Amino acid sequence: CAISGINTVEAIEIAHIVPYYGTESDHVQNAIPLRSDLHKLFDRGLLGIIYNENTSLYEITIDNSILDDYGQFNGSELKTPNDFLFQPSKVALMEHKKNIG
């Protein structure tokens, strides 16, 4: 999981940043491996991922309504591959935020 760091494959789902609409959207930069509960929160807009231009890091944001349960992730860094070609699309993340929020 790119947020929690767990490696239990059975608990991880691939979250599409922009909803899946066919093979064109099924791209590694439109996918983030997330624990199933975090995937649901991301899809509902309660968990966000933003790219911080100042730090060049992807940061996690948690909605105030779930801070009691998920606050430990608020402000933390998304675990991403070193290879730029396998990192989440910044454009897709902005689109996700626009569509959700």
Side-chain angles (χ1 to χ4, degrees), residues 14-75:
I14 300 302
H16 285 90
I17 301 168
V18 174
Y20 179 81
Y21 58 86
T23 56
E24 289 181 18
S25 66
D26 203 17
H27 188 274
V28 70
Q29 289 186 313
N30 188 39
I32 302 172
L34 296 177
R35 201 172 69 192
S36 60
D37 60 329
L38 299 174
H39 180 185
K40 290 176 185 174
L41 295 172
F42 178 73
D43 284 353
R44 289 168 176 78
L46 297 171
L47 180 153
I49 300 168
I50 58 167
Y51 182 75
N52 185 326
E53 296 285 345
N54 296 325
T55 62
S56 299
L57 299 173
Y58 294 87
E59 297 175 357
I60 311 305
T61 60
I62 300 294
D63 188 86
N64 288 338
S65 66
I66 61 167
L67 274 175
D68 286 346
D69 291 326
Y70 291 93
Q72 75 268 25
F73 300 120
N74 198 39

Side-chain angles (χ1 to χ4, degrees), residues 5-20:
I6 69 157
N7 292 312
T8 304
V9 175
E10 295 80 4
I12 296 174
E13 300 174 344
I14 300 302
H16 285 90
I17 301 168
V18 174
Y20 179 81

